[in-house]
Structure formats: C-alpha cells, structure tokens
C-alpha cells in the first residue's frame, strides 16, 4: 500500500509540473503609444489639484495628463485626471479626436468617475470605460455597442506628478 501511495504522489507531482502555467511575456507598452496623436485644444484652463492626505496613494498615481494614445490605434484620446477625492471619486477631462467609428467631430467632456481596487472608471452613454496603471502607463478599455476598444497612454512630460502631501517651500531669512 505504501508503494502505491508513493507512486500516486509521484504521478501527481509530475502531472502538476506539466500543467504549470507559462509565465506571461512582458510586453513593451511603449510600442503601443501613438506619439503626437491629436485630440482638441483646451481653451479653458485646467488645474491638477493637490489631493487631501486622506486620498489613498494608489489613487493619487492617476493624477496628471495622459496622452500619446489612440483607441485600437486609430481614435486619438487624451485624459486629464484633475482631481482625486478621498471617497474614490475622480474628476477628469476626457478628450477625443474625430472618430473613425462614429463620424463625430473631436470632443472634450468633463466627467466624474471612481477609483476602486486600482481601476479608474466612468461611463459614456451608459457603457463602461476603465483604466489601470501598468508599468507607468495608463492602459484603458472602452465598450461600444459595436465592440471593445483598447488604449495605452503615457504621462505627459513637463507635467509634474503631484507630491503627496504637498510641501510648502521653506522661507529663509
């Protein structure tokens, strides 16, 4: 009986070794960017606001201007994450270039969404749009009535990440 148990255990270990999932290959997300992809010129000034100390650190990382992306490589999109609230709400400016999917002109909208479990999301025409941070890039998914779109964006250079908590400059006499 001991021999059968040992053989069964050996077979189980060998089988488990065979069905181990392969490690995912790391994808270079920078290859998915579309530098210079144009959406709209914002005529109203925007401001990235310092978050309260109560805003979780993972939510703060979404703050900033995200550009150089196009939904499925075709439809230019920029996202300005201007404020993150302690309760998880987020204020964004959502801009798009002219759409090859719907034939609409370039657009810009103020939206309110939420950040939960590392995912920022809101709805457009009742359909979900979500973003998550991956290796310093903002990766998004958007559902349309005709299918699903994906995007990868980079933080715009020259827009400083907000230090948390904000630090007042020291005055020297």
């Amino acid at each position: 009986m001991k021999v059968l148990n040992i053989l069964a255990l050996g077979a189980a270990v060998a089988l488990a070794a065979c069905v181990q999932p392969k490690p995912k290959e790391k994808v270079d997300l920078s290859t998915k960017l579309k530098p210079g992809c144009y959406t709209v010129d914002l005529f109203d000034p925007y401001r990235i606001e310092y978050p309260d100390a109560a805003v979780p650190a993972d939510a703060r990382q979404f703050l900033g201007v995200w550009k150089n992306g196009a939904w499925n490589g075709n439809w230019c999109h920029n996202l300005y994450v201007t404020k993150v609230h302690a309760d998880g709400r987020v204020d964004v400016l959502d801009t798009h270039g002219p759409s090859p999917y719907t034939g609409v002109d370039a657009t810009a909208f103020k939206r309110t969404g939420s950040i939960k479990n590392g995912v920022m999301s809101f709805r457009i025409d009742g359909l979900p749009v979500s973003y998550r941070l991956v290796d310093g890039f903002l990766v998004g998914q958007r559902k349309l009535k005709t299918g699903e779109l994906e995007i990868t964006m980079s933080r715009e250079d020259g827009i400083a990440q907000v230090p948390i908590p904000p630090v007042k400059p020291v005055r020297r006499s």
Side-chain angles (χ1 to χ4, degrees):
M1 194 63 156
K2 275 188 176 180
V3 172
L4 285 177
N5 286 342
I6 291 172
L7 288 175
L9 179 61
V13 169
L15 183 60
C18 291
V19 293
Q20 291 285 333
K22 290 183 181 178
K24 278 189 170 182
E25 252 184 64
K26 188 147 181 130
V27 176
D28 181 3
L29 292 175
S30 68
T31 62
K32 295 185 175 205
L33 295 175
K34 192 163 182 173
C37 203
Y38 175 76
T39 60
V40 297
D41 293 323
L42 294 176
F43 294 103
D44 290 337
Y46 68 90
R47 199 176 95 184
I48 307 296
E49 294 189 30
Y50 286 107
D52 295 338
V55 173
D58 63 333
R60 293 180 199 140
Q61 297 176 56
F62 284 93
L63 281 168
V65 178
W66 299 91
K67 292 187 172 186
N68 297 316
W71 292 110
N72 284 4
N74 297 311
W75 186 18
C76 295
H77 172 51
N78 295 335
L79 197 67
Y80 300 75
V81 182
T82 59
K83 186 171 184 176
V84 178
H85 303 264
D87 65 0
R89 281 179 302 122
V90 61
D91 298 334
V92 301
L93 295 173
D94 176 30
T95 67
H96 293 88
S99 170
Y101 297 101
T102 62
V104 299
D105 292 331
T107 59
F109 293 96
K110 289 183 179 181
R111 302 195 191 277
T112 300
S114 65
I115 298 174
K116 292 179 186 164
N117 301 320
V119 176
M120 180 175 62
S121 61
F122 51 87
R123 292 189 167 279
I124 299 176
D125 297 329
L127 297 171
V129 181
S130 64
Y131 303 87
R132 63 190 178 352
L133 292 163
V134 179
D135 299 329
F137 294 93
L138 192 65
V139 177
Q141 290 185 314
R142 178 175 178 176
K143 293 205 187 257
L144 297 174
K145 292 176 185 172
T146 57
E148 190 169 299
L149 305 175
E150 294 183 351
I151 192 168
T152 299
M153 294 185 281
S154 60
R155 188 183 299 277
E156 183 177 272
D157 291 335
I159 304 293
Q161 284 187 281
V162 179
I164 311 303
V167 178
K168 289 185 178 179
V170 176
R171 278 198 168 157
R172 305 219 187 253
S173 306

